[in-house]
Amino acid sequence: MAFSADELRVLRRALANALHPAPLPDDDLQDCLRLAGSVDEVAGEAGRLRAFLLADLVRYRDSLPGSTTGYLELLQDALAAGYDPRPEDLAALRLQRGRPVAAALLERCQVLAERSVRARLAGRAVLATTPAPRSRLLALPGGRAAAAEPERPKTPPAPVRPVPQPERPAPKPSEVFPPRRRPAPPAQQRAAG
């Protein structure tokens, strides 16, 4: 993930505020909330991209042996992104182990699968196929300094005003665009004979 210069300034101010709590000005607070929203959006997009890549991997695996090259490339990319190989992947690689790339991937996948099984048996957390949702940042409004401030009485929300209805209904398309009239066929003149 890359941050722009403005986003880095916002992040620097937020971190400085976390180390030395002080009430944040409204502009800084809004900047922090926008940055948090951007980070959430990027995390969601990364999850959607990962789901798409995994679905693509399954599609290529299902169309083996005709898609061997594409499948091996996608599997390498997925493994680099933290994908735990499934039994279907190991079976597909065993069928393709005549190729040197597939044989190397099979060895790598067997090691990763064994680690994953050991971690599950030991009760440790294992990377899931989809990233866990990240909670919203709740400590922004003032850090520890906000806890020292007395709570303000909450005002009830303003009542919702009904939206005024238009005085007359919207015109129908047939009223706005009348039907076209077909041109009359040209009158044929008879030659007097």
Side-chain angles (χ1 to χ4, degrees):
M1 182 182 310
F3 291 104
S4 70
D6 289 335
E7 290 171 334
L8 284 175
R9 278 191 282 278
V10 170
L11 189 59
R12 189 177 305 126
R13 284 193 311 256
L15 290 174
N17 190 40
L19 292 174
H20 305 287
L24 282 174
D26 286 342
D27 292 341
D28 288 349
L29 181 62
Q30 290 302 319
D31 289 343
C32 289
L33 291 174
R34 271 194 297 275
L35 180 62
S38 296
V39 169
D40 286 342
E41 185 179 325
V42 167
E45 187 63 30
R48 285 189 293 276
L49 179 62
R50 182 177 179 150
F52 172 78
L53 291 175
L54 292 180
D56 213 19
L57 181 68
V58 169
R59 188 171 52 88
Y60 272 78
R61 183 178 59 227
D62 290 344
S63 61
L64 284 172
S67 62
T68 302
T69 305
Y71 172 70
L72 296 176
E73 289 174 7
L74 283 173
L75 183 59
Q76 286 175 336
D77 292 344
L79 291 174
Y83 172 71
D84 282 333
R86 296 197 170 98
E88 301 88 23
D89 295 312
L90 296 172
L93 288 171
R94 284 187 191 105
L95 293 174
Q96 303 297 322
R97 67 178 146 203
R99 295 173 176 249
V101 175
L105 271 175
L106 177 60
E107 288 179 26
R108 182 176 171 196
C109 286
Q110 286 174 333
V111 169
L112 291 173
E114 185 177 330
R115 275 189 209 154
S116 176
V117 168
R118 287 179 191 264
R120 273 189 244 132
L121 291 176
R124 289 185 274 161
V126 179
L127 290 176
T129 56
T130 58
R134 191 174 72 82
S135 63
R136 302 283 306 161
L137 293 175
L138 301 176
L140 282 178
R144 283 184 252 157
E149 295 178 11
E151 288 190 29
R152 297 180 198 155
K154 295 184 179 182
T155 59
V160 178
R161 294 183 195 165
V163 177
Q165 296 295 324
E167 294 155 8
R168 68 179 197 95
K172 296 178 186 174
S174 61
E175 294 173 349
V176 177
F177 304 105
R180 291 187 179 176
R181 305 274 187 234
R182 292 188 181 166
Q188 296 179 353
Q189 296 177 349
R190 294 186 182 196

